Amino acid sequence: MSSSLLKEWKLKNKGESPEKAISKAPENAVFPLSRSQQRLWFLQQLHPNSSVYNYAEIYTFSGPISKQDLVKGLQAVFQENDILKTKYLLEEGMVVQLVDENSVLEIKEYDFSGYDENTQNQKKEDVFARDTRTAFDLTKAPLVRMSVLKISKSTHILLVTMHHILTDKWSMGLFREQLAKKYSQSIKGEILNEKSDIQYTDYAYWQKENGIRTDMIAYWMEKLSGTIPELDLPVDHPSTIHHTFNGDSHIQHFSEELSKKMLSLAKELEVTPYVFFLSAFYVLLYKYSGQEDILVGSPISNRNEPILQKMIGFFDETIVLRSEISPSMSFREFVREVNKTAMEAFSNKEAPFDLLVKKLSPDRVLGRNPFFRSMFIYHSVPETPSFGNDVELTHSFYDNKVSKFDLTLYVAEENGLLYASFEYATDLFEKRTIERIQEHLKILLEKIVDDPNQHISNLDTTTEWEKDFFFSDNSRQSGPYDGFNGIHDIIFKNSIEHGEAIAVSFGDEGITYHELKNKAEAIARRILKHTKGNKQIVGLCANRSVDMIVGLMAILKAGCAYMPIDPEYPKERIHFMLEDSETKVIVTQEVLKPVFKSYTEKIVVLNEEECQSAEEASNFDFPSVDRNDLAYVIYTSGSTGKPKGVPISHGNIIGSTQGRLEFYDENPSVFLLMSSIAFDSSKAGIFWTLCTGGKLLVSEKHLEQDIDKIGNIIEKQGISHTLMLPSLYGLLLEHVDVSQLRSLKTVIVAGEACLPSIARKHFETLSEANLYNEYGPTEGTVWCIAHKVQMEDVTSNIPIGKAVADSQVFLLDKNLKPVPYGASGEIYLGGPGLALKYLNNPSLTKEAYIESPFEENAMLYRTGDLGKFDKHGNILFLGRADQQVKIRGYRIELDEIERTINESGLLKRGVVTVENSNLEVGLDDLLMDPQKLSLYLENNLGEDEIEELLNSIANLKEDEKEFLLNQIK
């Protein structure tokens, strides 16, 4: 059982063999640093002007304390502990520690008793900041600062600041005990000399002589083998290559009742409070990251010998605790596994962390720990020693506003009460995020003590605020299109209201709304000769032209759904689409007829129709449609290696279009349609523009390849709205005279991530136009999330926004539970804009669509995309959860490409991947790969990042530095 394991470990360490007992080092011995000290010395050299490894505590004395005897006591403690008089020097290639007997402890005294409270507080903080935030020079002793502040006749404050290379939490408890004892002796008139013969230098010498057990190294080599997963923390700001150590902390006190329950449960589970809270921390990190292999760092004391229990010094070693979490485990079962892992780690704790890094050579990234991003510390606060019956002492750790790691959880127990404090890197986290993490931790602990037998996946951390936010009903009550069943009916009403206005144009050709209706109805009559009034899918294959839109409207008017076929599609893809959709009728142009001769004789040619009079058309009985009837089918890439058909109903596209009237500030007067009608994004321009009486300008094929021509068209045609890839818009802003773009009122970017640099360029050059970022898979009917980009967005990731057009958006984990606010989760879609299946593909439908766990008789679509909520409630897009990627805006399934290659017979076996230019690299990677360095500089570095890189390479060899500088230039 775990309790016996712990006893066994303690007994093992207490029962060390006699020959390993620490003895006095030989005279004239050279004293090395202990293994723990070596790490701190090295880190201080990397950041010589940093106070991050300063350790400070505040002692507040209430009552008649004798300041004179307190000072005498401090001097006595200083004299009896050589570690407090030690300095650290580099001599002949070796770092040694020397006890400087001539060093003097300066105790500064301040009297603030004559000031008002506000002034006292300010002066206190000035002293605290100066003492704690001034870096120590490790070559000069003492590495200790003491300040005594008189606040009133009955209140004095002692601030103790040391470099961490001298002390740890256990040592500070010893320091308080010794100070109380020396103070008491001074009060009585005599301070006794009780200096121990064995000092920290003896320990360091003994440790070096004993070496490191090989079995401990072997344990860690096995435990930390394989890929080291990087913990996905819910950060607000991206990491940089330069670690500033800027930090803060947030504390949460638990009630007496909850504290008692947690400590009692730890006993029931037969584990220490350390293991209990470590297990809870793992679960919390799992909830945030979704990762099932998590590494956490934790300091552990190496005071294995009895004599070390009473020695002030730095004895902490960092161990890496690696645990695998199975969501189906109960918390009770998981605690047992964590306890086993912890006991094994404790038994092998003497293997120094730095040596493990060298042996294992994990991937290094500048500014990050090679094994973990998060630390866990449990501390049982010792009883406060007495300074006399009339004197009350309270003490606390002083928060120096630094953070050594991204996120550290401190749990402390004092007099049966528990509290938790998160120390966090302010470069990564906002304060509100940490407050949420604290809330989630408290809720998690409450759920655990209520029922430790719950599966980890069912341990809910959702706050009441999150429940309201995640499940709020923002659906539209009514809208202007409620009385229409067909999207084309909304468009054709404009033939009455805007009959002579230009509806569609291409090049020099244009047709009015009246002409669009008549031509579409004429073609619809000929379509109906083939369909016999049956509602079916009709193929639409046309080169970019006015006729392309006429054909689209004609198919809808005939009561059918159009399936766009790009003329440039490979024959195999066209054949598959026609077969899979069971399409028998094709609407196309004369020049494209030969493409379909082998598939069907039912071809309607767009340029052969005879326009009939409005009276003839009005007398014709066109089929009526229902909102559930299909409007169009779009074929996208498929994970099976074959395209998949997404059927979109009239209700879907009407709701999607109506949502634009509510979200956007103004409707398009002239919309430049650049995307192919075979892409879902084209529906935004087509239906939004034609439903609101605007002019749809169809661009020529491959216009995106001629940036200057885009600028000319925007200027000449007075384009008010357009939708394009963010990368294309960036090129437009970079290379086109901004005077040509002045007509633009709304620019929508979609299809790939919008970089902050593009948004920044927009506000610098075309701020009078509104910039919008849209997101939505074909299955969600064009869009489901959108964001109006603001100037403040250019400093971070550009959000994709919030749910639009009545969409339901959920960020869920693998168990279909909402992830904590701010954590990464997979985007699931629901609502009236959702296509509920893939055409004629029930197996693929079953994979992609699930029954909603939040609403009966409702479905959700799994997008495969990852996202998180930012502090404003907007969603940030984080990339793909699977192998599907976006390349220049095209949604690609890597499996589809891979399957095609492997079936071609051109090679034996191929694997398809995408090289990611968003690299996280260390200096070693950059130096070894000039191409990677160039790519990194091109894609990631602005002026601030270049400055950070320059700071990081300051200590490189001259040839390495010259290489990097040339690359930056």
Side-chain angles (χ1 to χ4, degrees), residues 270 281 396:
E270 298 183 307
F281 189 40
S396 62

Side-chain angles (χ1 to χ4, degrees), residues 524-686:
R525 286 171 58 99
R526 291 197 287 115
I527 293 172
L528 285 166
K529 291 180 181 178
H530 297 296
T531 63
K532 309 300 183 184
N534 295 319
K535 296 175 181 179
Q536 60 190 63
I537 297 170
V538 173
L540 173 62
C541 184
N543 290 314
R544 299 178 71 80
S545 60
V546 169
D547 285 340
M548 178 180 73
I549 304 300
V550 171
L552 183 157
M553 299 306 301
I555 295 171
L556 294 174
K557 188 65 179 178
C560 295
Y562 74 92
M563 181 181 69
I565 303 170
D566 194 307
E568 296 185 347
Y569 277 166
K571 291 181 181 179
E572 292 80 4
R573 185 180 180 100
I574 293 175
H575 174 72
F576 175 82
M577 291 169 60
L578 294 173
E579 290 289 322
D580 186 65
S581 62
E582 301 176 353
T583 296
K584 304 301 181 186
V585 181
I586 307 292
V587 175
T588 188
Q589 294 164 317
E590 182 68 32
V591 68
L592 298 174
K593 280 176 62 177
V595 175
F596 301 100
K597 278 297 183 183
S598 60
Y599 302 123
T600 181
E601 294 295 330
K602 298 178 180 179
I603 296 176
V604 176
V605 178
L606 283 168
N607 54 4
E608 285 185 354
E609 76 278 7
E610 296 178 0
C611 290
Q612 55 196 355
S613 68
E615 183 179 354
E616 288 178 304
S618 63
N619 291 331
F620 189 85
D621 189 17
F622 289 100
S624 60
V625 296
D626 184 84
R627 282 207 170 202
N628 293 324
D629 290 337
L630 292 188
Y632 62 86
V633 175
I634 293 285
Y635 271 83
T636 69
S637 285
S639 57
T640 61
K642 296 180 179 179
K644 52 191 177 185
V646 182
I648 301 297
S649 70
H650 282 272
N652 292 150
I653 189 61
I654 289 173
S656 175
T657 304
Q658 188 165 251
R660 295 188 178 276
L661 276 60
E662 300 163 353
F663 180 76
Y664 283 97
D665 296 333
E666 55 185 306
N667 297 323
S669 57
V670 185
F671 192 103
L672 175 60
L673 179 66
M674 298 179 63
S675 56
S676 165
I677 63 167
F679 294 150
D680 196 46
S681 58
S682 67
K683 310 305 177 281
I686 295 172

Side-chain angles (χ1 to χ4, degrees), residues 227-228 360-365 368-371 925:
T227 302
I228 300 297
L360 289 157
S361 299
D363 293 337
R364 303 300 301 270
V365 176
R368 295 192 188 176
N369 186 282
F371 290 119
D925 290 320

Side-chain angles (χ1 to χ4, degrees), residues 317 453 727:
E317 185 56 77
N453 296 312
S727 53

Side-chain angles (χ1 to χ4, degrees), residues 40 65 151 357-358 442 449 584 611 669 688 697 833 914 923:
L40 283 187
I65 190 80
I151 305 302
V357 174
K358 291 177 183 177
K442 182 173 181 288
V449 296
K584 304 301 181 186
C611 290
S669 57
W688 183 19
L697 192 151
V914 173
L923 282 179

Side-chain angles (χ1 to χ4, degrees), residues 81-94:
N81 293 275
D82 285 354
I83 186 71
L84 303 180
K85 297 177 284 185
T86 301
K87 57 186 178 182
Y88 303 86
L89 305 174
L90 182 60
E91 294 184 349
E92 299 180 359
M94 176 181 176

Side-chain angles (χ1 to χ4, degrees), residues 86-105:
T86 301
K87 57 186 178 182
Y88 303 86
L89 305 174
L90 182 60
E91 294 184 349
E92 299 180 359
M94 176 181 176
V95 184
V96 298
Q97 53 181 315
L98 295 175
V99 179
D100 186 353
E101 295 293 354
N102 296 319
S103 62
V104 176
L105 175 64

